[in-house]
Amino acid sequence: MTEPFDPAAVLAEFIERVAAYDPAPSAAPVGVVGVRTALGEATFAMTDHVARALCRALVQYHDPHDRGRCAGCGGRHLDENLHCRDCGRLHGILGEVIAQHARRVAAESTEQT
Ligand SMILES: [Zn+2]
């Protein structure tokens, strides 16, 4: 990737790499994408081939911060300890052990009262 980070350069690099395999390189574009940043602005013609490659890239994309969804609230914000930042639920083996312990303590305290 280029330095300093330039979204337009990244898009240009993606299109250049994908366009090399376009079976119909002279076909009319299906759209135009514009990028405006502090570094300037650029527009890119999107062919059907490039648009489909973008779709395939999105399907294969996995964000490094994606740790699944919370079983409690369905949120997507689990930290590296599988702790939900939205509702506080812990996941994984440690989270299950803690949840079992909390249920056991709660059951014992209701038995004693
Ligand atoms: Zn949650």
Side-chain angles (χ1 to χ4, degrees):
M1 225 174 280
T2 59
E3 294 292 336
F5 180 71
D6 179 4
V10 173
L11 190 54
E13 185 179 339
F14 181 85
I15 291 171
E16 181 183 337
R17 191 185 307 177
V18 168
Y21 305 101
D22 193 339
S26 58
V30 295
V32 176
V33 175
V35 179
R36 182 180 304 136
T37 68
L39 299 171
E41 58 183 79
T43 56
F44 302 93
M46 297 284 285
T47 64
D48 179 75
H49 183 74
V50 170
R52 290 176 190 277
L54 197 55
C55 292
R56 286 196 302 275
L58 181 60
V59 166
Q60 293 181 1
Y61 175 75
H62 178 79
D63 194 282
H65 294 104
D66 182 356
R67 297 179 182 94
R69 287 181 168 253
C70 173
C73 72
R76 294 176 177 263
H77 301 113
L78 303 182
D79 68 16
E80 64 276 1
N81 297 315
L82 302 180
H83 179 239
C84 179
R85 287 184 290 174
D86 297 327
C87 73
R89 180 171 175 160
L90 276 172
H91 296 76
I93 295 171
L94 177 61
E96 189 55 39
V97 168
I98 291 172
Q100 284 176 358
H101 181 71
R103 283 193 294 269
R104 197 165 45 243
V105 169
E108 287 170 5
S109 66
T110 51
E111 286 170 6
Q112 293 170 356
T113 52

